[in-house]
Amino acid sequence: MSNHPIPRADDRATADAAPFEDHGAAPPRAGGIAARAMGAARPASYLDNLNPEQRDAILTIDGPLLVLAGAGTGKTRVLTTRIAHILATGRAFPSQILAVTFTNRAAREMKERIGHLVGGAVEGMPWLGTFHSIGVKILRRHAELVGLRSDFSILDTDDQIRLMKQLIQAEGIDEKRWPARQFAGLVDSWKNRGLGPKDIGEGEARSFGNGLGRKLYADYQDRLKVLNATDFGDLLMETLRLFCENPDVLADYHRRFRFVLVDEYQDTNVVQYLWLRLLAQGSKNICCVGDDDQSIYGWRGAEVDNILRFEKDFPGAKVIRLERNYRSTAHILASASHLIAHNEARLGKTLFTENEDPEAEKVCVAAAWDSEEEARSIGDEIERLQRGGHSLNQIAILVRASFQMREFEDRFVTLGVPYRVVGGPRFYERLEIRDALAYFRIVAQPADDLAFERIVNTPRRGLGDASIQILHAYGRANRVPLTAAAGHLVETEELKGKARTALRDLMQSFARWREQLEHLPHTELAEIILEESGYTEMWQKDRSAEAPGRLENLKELIRSMQDFESLAGFLEHISLVMDRDQDASADAVSIMTLHSAKGLEFDTVFLPGWEEGLFPHQRALDENGRAGLEEERRLAYVGITRAKHRAKIWFASNRRIHGSWQSSIPSRFLDELPDAHVEVVEQQNRYGGYGLDTVGAYGASRFDNRGSFNSTYETPGWQRARANKAAGTTGFATPGGERPRIRQIEGELIARSVVGGDPRFTVGARVFHQKFGNGTVSSVDGNKLTVDFDRAGQKRVVDSFVTAL
DNA sequence: TTCTCACCCATTTTT
DNA sequence: TGGGTGAGAA
């Protein structure tokens, strides 16, 4: 039985009850947390092997504390040891510590590590979790104070959008012009800032849906209450409202939480900040750990300002900097530090390491002709590492945007290199899982209209739009949920024959399952529901390629239910916590976005796609200017600092983005790396490939056509790049000094007009290649030739690598 | 009701 | 280029 966040009776004890009763524990067990807490006189072993700053951060228990922890400086260790220390010194019981993280992964890791430190399970830390899971926990206890019942359901983004779509349509607003998805984003950003319908500014309120933004938002909130539901944003917003409107409740939590600890403080948004500040007012013992240089979620509402302003917000705050890095080599560290130093808005830290391995590899920068070659070369290099005994688990490819992943996947499939994509769609976001959950929800929570709508005609029962509209009309007129409306309508003549029979059958099934809920184990019931509803059968009959996988996922879903004692407990867990279990056992290369790599580390890290427009991403620059650029730079910093021993940065001169070719120039970030710690790898002939020479040639010829480019950029990085080029220090800067805008051009056009192929190579020409021997040119694509080699078969090569015969 | 075709649009993502 | 969506036909 894992620890799930359903409130238990003992959790409902009031805060001023005796601490022991509070977390339902017996008096201190010998060797237990509390026992250690009582007699911790001798210096505790957990304080061994800490550096002075870490020790200071752990021992400074009273008052506000900000720990600025650079990448790889032992942030999690400080956080967990601090908790262990608070417990060991008897300053608080486990149930009196509030520890919040952003992700379930981080929460899980913290639980495990505290478990190691204090020996045994951390059953007694009920308030260690994500912002959201703690939010729900509080909200369920006081649901009635914010107009909900304690069994409220939590809508995911998909439900949220469907609900909004209905409201938008109900207002007669053109859903094409004002997409529900966009509105969901807007509402989300309001909730991130802690703004209710009444709080949003006039301008913003009018900015959506022909000026009806505020009304739609208010309608949406009303609807949620009617459905007894919340969305993710509400879990924090409503808790905040609860505290503000009910000082006695807040006082209760003030008494309860003697210590507040926050992980990744740089990622907090406004609500989270307000929420924390409110809770920390009680004890004033708030410890935030974070790194302003790793703030990469500004676009999601995170306020770097929170961390920059900490000392003002919490008067008397102490700030401790952790700058000693235990992860990376000096080269990697120097590269990352040098890069991030280009940012203006930062508190400033200087990371250092004592890892002065003379053998350490410099950070490597390499060029490829196009993204395909980039993937090919990285694939080859990984194979080489593998042959040298390098574990694939310790290799990661970190990309800026997920479309970049595909090329690597394709390549790895070809090579037979095992890989895993980290952070793809979550388990519970899959279609079949959501359908199944909708069935379970409708049984557990009859008023859940969104669940009802989702499965009312899945599998097909002949209950289409027309029928649903009738239900909706009735439901709205009589202010009852859809299932209630359905219950009435099967008794009347409003629905025609087939639909009516189908609906009646369905309603009878619901009734039967609800009745069985009382008697049967929930896993068994779940199977019965999927079976009797015809849902399993639907996929069994489906002959598409993904059907077997979906059936497998459904089985997995049932299996995972065994860990919960009730259907309700399971439902809450899955919407909030469940993520796909990665089989970490298999040895495989990890492919993920830079964002999802935060907090991880690998021996070898590949960083492909360092090109202007992709990284830094054009949109970040366009929409947020300098701030956007700085966030991108932080992302680059996060990427490099994931590497322990080897960091390999790549860029490709050509990339196919949406079917058309995009020519690109090296990222300005490359010019921000320190020469002394970086090695530019010349790809020379290694695979008959296209190395820097080619890039040079490409660049030169492109700038011969410079007239067609607009040049407006005059950034410092760019100027430096230009200077570097003049001094001959880097291979990347572009001659001419003007920055071209990235353009979209047809592939052929690029090749012909921009690069310019060698006129000697025409279709049918005989050529010789060092590696592949003699062959006949079968097609020409700029300076790239497709050649049918007599012995090596068909290859694509660059014309500079072959000679005409 | 359901299927098909045309059209639109393309970062980053946790809960 | 490809996936997701909405309007129209079968």
Side-chain angles (χ1 to χ4, degrees):
Chain A
M1 179 76 50
S2 73
N3 30 16
H4 59 79
I6 289 298
R8 286 166 301 179
D10 53 348
D11 270 327
R12 293 174 196 274
T14 55
D16 46 3
F20 284 131
E21 290 167 26
D22 192 1
H23 60 283
R29 287 170 286 123
I33 296 170
R36 294 186 61 160
M38 305 209 142
R42 69 192 149 77
S45 63
Y46 57 79
L47 292 175
D48 295 346
N49 303 318
L50 293 164
N51 66 39
E53 294 75 30
Q54 288 177 330
R55 186 182 290 255
D56 195 15
I58 289 160
L59 298 180
T60 307
I61 280 182
D62 295 302
L65 172 69
L66 174 65
V67 180
L68 285 174
T73 54
K75 171 186 68 120
T76 311
R77 179 158 185 217
V78 164
L79 220 39
T80 51
T81 311
R82 188 180 158 91
I83 290 175
H85 180 65
I86 291 169
L87 296 174
T89 50
R91 292 295 304 276
F93 288 98
S95 62
Q96 295 171 323
I97 299 175
L98 171 67
V100 280
T101 64
F102 276 84
T103 63
N104 292 304
R105 186 177 78 193
R108 214 180 309 128
E109 191 186 338
M110 250 168 93
K111 267 189 190 156
E112 271 165 28
R113 289 176 66 166
I114 295 170
H116 280 293
L117 283 171
V118 296
V122 199
E123 293 271 332
M125 289 271 314
W127 299 102
L128 191 169
T130 61
F131 275 101
H132 295 267
S133 65
I134 288 169
V136 193
K137 192 163 178 167
I138 295 174
L139 216 49
R140 288 218 193 271
R141 296 176 157 196
H142 315 280
E144 64 299 339
L145 293 176
V146 292
L148 292 165
R149 278 172 278 123
S150 72
D151 64 341
F152 62 81
S153 47
I154 301 161
L155 303 187
D156 59 27
T157 320
D158 205 70
D159 291 330
Q160 195 186 356
I161 290 172
R162 280 191 294 141
L163 181 54
M164 288 176 169
K165 194 173 278 182
Q166 289 171 12
L167 294 168
I168 290 170
Q169 277 163 359
E171 284 297 331
I173 297 169
D174 179 11
E175 214 262 320
K176 269 208 155 139
R177 235 191 109 200
W178 305 105
R181 179 171 293 280
Q182 189 192 329
F183 186 57
L186 205 54
V187 167
D188 218 47
S189 77
W190 287 330
K191 289 187 176 177
N192 282 160
R193 283 181 284 152
L195 304 174
K198 285 178 219 133
D199 308 318
I200 52 176
E202 202 54 36
E204 247 187 311
R206 300 199 163 277
S207 69
F208 186 88
N210 300 328
L212 291 173
R214 171 176 292 136
K215 174 160 197 311
L216 283 169
Y217 184 16
D219 287 351
Y220 171 69
Q221 290 305 107
D222 287 348
R223 224 26 220 133
L224 286 179
K225 293 291 182 293
V226 173
L227 296 172
N228 190 34
T230 62
D231 59 20
F232 283 121
D234 280 347
L235 298 180
L236 297 172
M237 262 271 287
E238 293 288 330
T239 319
L240 191 65
R241 190 160 71 88
L242 169 78
F243 289 151
C244 292
E245 291 174 3
N246 302 277
D248 52 319
V249 174
L250 179 61
D252 223 40
Y253 286 95
H254 279 164
R255 252 169 282 143
R256 171 180 292 263
F257 297 136
R258 306 246 170 110
F259 295 94
V260 178
L261 292 94
V262 190
D263 190 19
E264 306 276 17
Y265 188 63
Q266 77 282 354
D267 287 338
T268 49
N269 60 33
V270 174
V271 211
Q272 285 159 342
Y273 160 75
L274 293 171
W275 195 93
L276 285 171
R277 204 178 60 171
L278 217 50
L279 282 171
Q281 271 169 3
S283 67
K284 307 257 194 303
N285 297 326
I286 181 170
C287 168
C288 296
V289 179
D291 180 0
D292 51 317
D293 290 334
Q294 290 186 66
S295 161
I296 54 175
Y297 285 109
W299 52 275
R300 211 165 71 184
E303 290 277 338
V304 208
D305 248 27
N306 289 345
I307 198 166
L308 302 177
R309 267 190 354 231
F310 187 86
E311 291 171 89
K312 273 185 215 145
D313 289 334
F314 298 95
K318 178 167 173 177
V319 178
I320 295 174
R321 284 181 159 75
L322 302 183
E323 299 177 303
R324 177 166 162 175
N325 175 291
Y326 294 93
R327 179 187 295 153
S328 311
T329 65
H331 290 310
I332 291 169
L333 213 53
S335 299
S337 302
H338 199 266
L339 175 86
I340 199 66
H342 290 80
N343 271 5
E344 277 171 11
R346 59 193 293 258
L347 292 169
K349 286 182 304 307
T350 314
L351 293 185
F352 67 94
T353 178
E354 283 168 20
N355 176 358
E356 296 285 0
D357 178 5
E359 302 279 292
E361 292 176 33
K362 289 185 173 182
V363 170
C364 153
V365 175
W369 163 258
D370 60 13
S371 46
E372 204 179 286
E373 195 204 50
E374 182 184 65
R376 193 160 2 105
S377 303
I378 290 177
D380 289 344
E381 193 158 350
I382 287 173
E383 281 196 312
R384 212 171 321 122
L385 287 165
Q386 190 182 21
R387 278 196 298 274
H390 196 301
S391 152
L392 296 183
N393 276 330
Q394 281 302 315
I395 300 177
I397 298 177
L398 310 182
V399 297
R400 173 68 245 265
S402 38
F403 74 82
Q404 292 173 262
M405 292 179 179
R406 221 184 118 172
E407 234 144 354
F408 291 101
E409 292 192 61
D410 287 352
R411 193 62 202 150
F412 289 155
V413 168
T414 315
L415 293 175
V417 171
Y419 69 89
R420 73 173 74 90
V421 171
V422 179
R426 264 148 247 312
F427 183 71
Y428 69 85
E429 278 170 5
R430 289 152 196 251
L431 178 88
E432 66 279 14
I433 299 304
R434 299 165 49 88
D435 285 344
L437 289 174
Y439 272 105
F440 303 157
R441 269 160 60 187
I442 199 71
V443 170
Q445 300 151 2
D448 197 330
D449 282 8
L450 291 155
F452 179 80
E453 278 180 84
R454 184 174 184 99
I455 46 84
V456 68
N457 201 30
T458 311
R460 301 260 134 86
R461 311 190 160 86
L463 290 166
D465 269 357
S467 315
I468 306 305
Q469 285 313 319
I470 296 174
L471 291 184
H472 261 301
Y474 184 92
R476 253 198 306 273
N478 297 280
R479 296 177 170 275
V480 291
L482 286 177
T483 35
H488 285 288
L489 287 170
V490 292
E491 306 297 335
T492 68
E493 296 302 319
E494 282 168 76
L495 276 174
K496 304 284 176 308
K498 252 190 298 179
R500 190 169 148 192
T501 321
L503 188 60
R504 180 182 293 140
D505 287 351
L506 185 63
M507 297 306 292
Q508 279 167 357
S509 297
F510 288 161
R512 194 171 59 251
W513 296 328
R514 276 183 205 127
E515 201 252 327
Q516 286 169 326
L517 187 57
E518 316 270 315
H519 316 295
L520 289 176
H522 60 288
T523 44
E524 210 171 299
L525 177 61
E527 276 181 271
I528 289 174
I529 293 174
L530 295 184
E531 206 54 53
E532 291 184 356
S533 63
Y535 193 73
T536 322
E537 194 190 352
M538 181 182 94
W539 288 117
Q540 280 161 350
K541 283 186 179 159
D542 190 311
R543 277 188 288 144
S544 63
E546 61 264 28
R550 295 192 194 272
L551 285 164
E552 197 44 54
N553 287 337
L554 289 171
K555 279 191 205 141
E556 175 62 37
L557 181 73
I558 307 272
R559 240 175 282 139
S560 65
M561 290 177 84
Q562 290 168 355
D563 297 339
F564 299 85
E565 49 198 17
S566 71
L567 191 59
F570 172 71
L571 285 176
E572 169 148 325
H573 183 87
I574 199 158
S575 60
L576 221 51
V577 183
M578 180 138 175
D579 43 18
R580 185 168 43 167
D581 292 344
Q582 294 280 350
D583 48 338
S585 53
D587 193 36
V589 176
S590 299
I591 305 177
M592 66 184 103
T593 62
L594 286 159
H595 282 92
S596 38
K598 195 166 72 161
L600 303 177
E601 59 178 27
F602 301 89
D603 281 340
T604 303
V605 168
F606 290 93
L607 299 159
W610 282 43
E611 296 130 37
E612 282 295 309
L614 177 58
F615 193 37
H617 201 281
Q618 194 59 47
R619 223 159 128 175
L621 304 179
D622 290 346
E623 287 169 13
N624 294 305
R626 165 125 211 145
L629 173 64
E630 296 209 343
E631 183 154 315
E632 294 285 298
R633 195 178 278 117
R634 290 194 289 268
L635 202 48
Y637 173 81
V638 167
I640 296 174
T641 52
R642 297 311 95 198
K644 291 198 259 187
H645 302 301
R646 264 179 299 273
K648 310 226 166 202
I649 302 172
W650 283 77
F651 77 85
S653 304
N654 292 289
R655 197 172 283 279
R656 201 153 63 164
I657 302 272
H658 310 301
S660 54
W661 283 94
Q662 188 168 290
S663 71
S664 43
I665 60 165
S667 169
R668 69 189 78 185
F669 296 152
L670 291 171
D671 296 315
E672 296 174 358
L673 299 171
D675 285 341
H677 299 278
V678 173
E679 181 186 11
V680 175
V681 176
E682 305 278 346
Q683 289 285 298
Q684 292 181 20
N685 286 341
R686 257 204 321 200
Y687 309 102
Y690 333 100
L692 285 178
D693 289 352
T694 319
V695 175
Y698 164 71
S701 55
R702 182 178 45 169
F703 283 95
D704 292 339
N705 294 343
R706 183 176 349 150
S708 60
F709 295 90
N710 296 328
S711 49
T712 49
Y713 282 76
E714 279 302 319
T715 64
W718 185 243
Q719 307 217 350
R720 194 168 32 253
R722 206 200 301 175
N724 284 346
K725 178 62 186 183
T729 50
T730 117
F732 303 125
T734 320
E738 283 176 348
R739 179 185 212 80
R741 284 260 293 260
I742 286 161
R743 319 180 302 161
Q744 291 210 331
I745 334 173
E746 292 306 312
E748 239 190 350
L749 195 63
I750 281 192
R752 291 235 179 90
S753 70
V754 182
V755 175
D758 187 318
R760 283 175 304 159
F761 302 117
T762 52
V763 175
R766 290 288 289 169
V767 294
F768 172 76
H769 185 279
Q770 276 285 319
K771 191 170 164 193
F772 301 127
N774 294 335
T776 310
V777 176
S778 65
S779 78
V780 182
D781 185 10
N783 64 345
K784 294 171 83 179
L785 311 175
T786 306
V787 181
D788 290 321
F789 288 102
D790 300 344
R791 275 180 300 170
Q794 196 177 74
K795 305 273 180 199
R796 264 194 340 158
V797 296
V798 161
D799 60 13
S800 55
F801 287 92
V802 296
T803 46
L805 290 176

